[in-house]
Amino acid sequence: MSRSRRALIAGTTCLLLAGLLAACGSSASAPDAVLPTVASPTPTTVLEADDVICGLHSTLDGPKLETLREFVWASSVITVGTVTGESAPYLTEYGGQAVYARDYQITVETLVRGATADIATVSVQQRGVTVDGCTQHLGDATFTLGERVLIFLWDDASRADGGTRLAPVMQSEGVWRIHENDVVSISTPLLDVHARKLSELLLAIAASLRGQPLLGSMAIGTAVPITAAPLWLD
C-alpha cells in the first residue's frame, strides 16, 4: 500500500471518530480533549395568563386515607385556626398546566401537632381560583376569610417551583370546618371517627399520637415520626 493511500485512510478514520475524540491520535487526557456533557434541564416556561385553560377540572382519585389515625400520622402540622388573610391571585403550575392560585393565612388558635410549639400562622395554597371569570376546579380546599378550621397539613414536595410547602392532607379532605357550638364538618367519612365535637376530635387525635406509632408508608404518603412533629396538647 502506498504512503499516500495510508494517509488518506488515516484521515478518513479521523473524521469518523471526531465526535468521540478531540483529535485523531490524541489521548483522553490531552489538554484539548472534548469530554461529553449532560444537557441541562430545560428552563421552566414563564407562565402567562394566555396559558390558563378556563374550566380545567381535576378530581382526586387513587388510594385514600380511610382513618383518623392515618390522617394524624400523615400530618406534619395539625392545628385549629381562623382564616385571617389572603394573597392576590397569581399564576403557578398544576399537572403541567398554568393555573391561578391564592395563598391563605391561618392564624393558629390551638396547635395540635407540629415541629415546634411556637407556630403562630400557617400559609396554605389554593390552586384553582376564579380570576376575571376564569374558573378551574382542581380539588384543592377552598377557604373563606373568618372561618374556623381544623386542618391537617403535610409537606408537599411536588411543587412546580422545586420547593416545599405545607398543603392540606389529601387536598380538600384535610380541611374540616368548625361551625357553631364547635361542631365539625368532616370532609370525608372515616372508619374510626364517631365524634363531631371539636373537643372530642382533639382527644381522639391526641390518643392516636400517644398510642402505637404508625410507621413507614401508608396507602398514600409516609407517616411522620412523633420526633419530627410532636404532640403539643396537654
Side-chain angles (χ1 to χ4, degrees):
M1 179 182 297
S2 67
R3 181 177 299 178
S4 60
R5 182 171 178 79
R6 286 197 300 269
L8 176 61
I9 293 174
T12 303
T13 303
C14 283
L15 290 175
L16 292 174
L17 297 179
L20 300 176
L21 300 175
C24 183
S26 64
S27 65
S29 60
D32 59 350
V34 178
L35 300 179
T37 58
V38 178
S40 301
T42 303
T44 302
T45 303
V46 176
L47 299 176
E48 303 287 350
D50 291 343
D51 298 328
V52 176
I53 301 175
C54 298
L56 186 66
H57 190 275
S58 176
T59 58
L60 184 65
D61 53 15
K64 293 190 176 184
L65 302 180
E66 297 182 339
T67 65
L68 177 64
R69 184 167 179 257
E70 289 178 308
F71 268 85
V72 167
W73 283 99
S75 302
S76 298
V77 172
I78 304 172
T79 184
V80 176
T82 302
V83 182
T84 54
E86 64 180 6
S87 73
Y90 58 90
L91 283 170
T92 188
E93 190 176 340
Y94 178 88
Q97 297 290 337
V99 300
Y100 287 114
R102 193 188 297 273
D103 291 336
Y104 287 88
Q105 287 69 52
I106 299 174
T107 299
V108 173
E109 173 188 323
T110 302
L111 180 63
V112 181
R113 187 181 196 198
T116 63
D118 58 355
I119 298 174
T121 61
V122 293
S123 179
V124 181
Q125 182 188 57
Q126 178 194 341
R127 297 161 300 186
V129 299
T130 299
V131 175
D132 295 333
C134 179
T135 300
Q136 298 167 318
H137 302 279
L138 305 176
D140 277 4
T142 60
F143 296 93
T144 302
L145 289 175
E147 71 174 342
R148 293 174 71 215
V149 293
L150 169 59
I151 188 167
F152 301 80
L153 299 167
W154 59 8
D155 294 318
D156 181 6
S158 61
R159 291 183 43 74
D161 58 14
T164 61
R165 76 159 67 206
L166 292 174
V169 173
M170 303 295 292
Q171 295 184 278
S172 61
E173 295 183 7
V175 180
W176 299 1
R177 320 286 172 176
I178 304 173
H179 306 287
E180 290 186 37
N181 301 316
D182 281 353
V183 174
V184 180
S185 295
I186 299 175
S187 298
T188 184
L190 299 176
L191 300 176
D192 58 347
V193 174
H194 308 289
R196 285 295 185 272
K197 293 285 287 186
L198 177 61
S199 58
E200 297 171 334
L201 287 171
L202 294 181
L203 287 175
I205 291 170
S208 291
L209 289 172
R210 292 189 182 112
Q212 185 68 26
L214 187 60
L215 303 175
S217 297
M218 297 169 286
I220 184 168
T222 302
V224 178
I226 193 67
T227 52
L231 170 68
W232 297 107
L233 289 179
D234 296 330

